[in-house]
Structure formats: C-alpha cells, structure tokens
Amino acid sequence: MVRTILQEGDNPSPEALARLAALDGRPVDTSDISEATDEELKEIARQVREKRRKKMFSLRLSNETIEWWQQLGEGYTGIMARLLEKAKSHPEWIKQCL
C-alpha cells in the first residue's frame, strides 16, 4: 500500500499521478472491512457535526478594509473564512504580516 497525502493547492508528483492512473477502472476491494454498527455510525455522525460546528469570532478592521471585502458581494464573510483557513498551510503569509 502506498499512501500519498495532498493538501488543497498541492501539485501531485508525476509518480503519484502515474500510480493513480494505473488504478483507474480497478474495483475497490472492501471484503476485509466489517460493517459499521449503529453505535459506530451514530458516533461518526456526531464527529462530523462537531467538525462542521463554527464559532462566532469578532475582529476589528478599518472601515476601508470592510468596504473592500463587502464589494465582493453576498458571501464575502465565507470568502474571508476560507482565506484564513488556507493561511494555516502557508506560514510565509503569516510571516509577511508580522
């Protein structure tokens, strides 16, 4: 088994792409996986809900910055949230702001 973990925005290596292409059309063998119990399914659902839960967060910004973001239209706060999430995997962005 070969495991490759890619983050959003990563470019897979040519070798990784070749391994994926070789798997195209092959059926997935699930014979060694046991069925999940009702309790396990409930726990998985609880964990998914917990992961999706969001907290309210307050941030002070200049009027100019707020107006700029609002120009993006409906959903601009979601765009801001996704940008902050993406910044976690780009420490160089943070260093530029220190």
Side-chain angles (χ1 to χ4, degrees):
M1 174 188 290
V2 176
R3 177 176 279 179
T4 303
I5 298 174
L6 297 174
Q7 300 295 327
E8 185 177 341
D10 287 352
N11 291 320
S13 68
E15 296 81 18
L17 290 172
R19 286 194 307 267
L20 285 171
L23 296 173
D24 191 30
R26 289 182 54 190
V28 177
D29 179 12
T30 60
S31 61
D32 61 339
I33 302 173
S34 61
E35 267 192 57
T37 65
D38 287 343
E39 293 79 23
E40 290 171 327
L41 292 173
K42 287 177 185 176
E43 177 60 18
I44 291 168
R46 186 197 65 76
Q47 290 176 7
V48 167
R49 284 191 307 274
E50 183 67 29
K51 188 172 184 175
R52 287 185 183 166
R53 188 170 289 144
K54 297 178 182 179
K55 292 183 180 180
M56 181 65 74
F57 179 77
S58 178
L59 182 65
R60 293 186 185 274
L61 300 170
S62 69
N63 286 337
E64 181 181 303
T65 300
I66 293 169
E67 289 169 3
W68 183 87
W69 278 102
Q70 288 175 332
Q71 288 177 12
L72 296 175
E74 188 174 331
Y76 74 94
T77 56
I79 297 168
M80 292 171 76
R82 287 190 296 279
L83 180 63
L84 288 169
E85 285 288 327
K86 193 169 191 117
K88 292 188 308 188
S89 59
H90 293 277
E92 70 276 8
W93 296 357
I94 307 301
K95 288 178 185 174
Q96 290 177 4
C97 298
L98 295 177

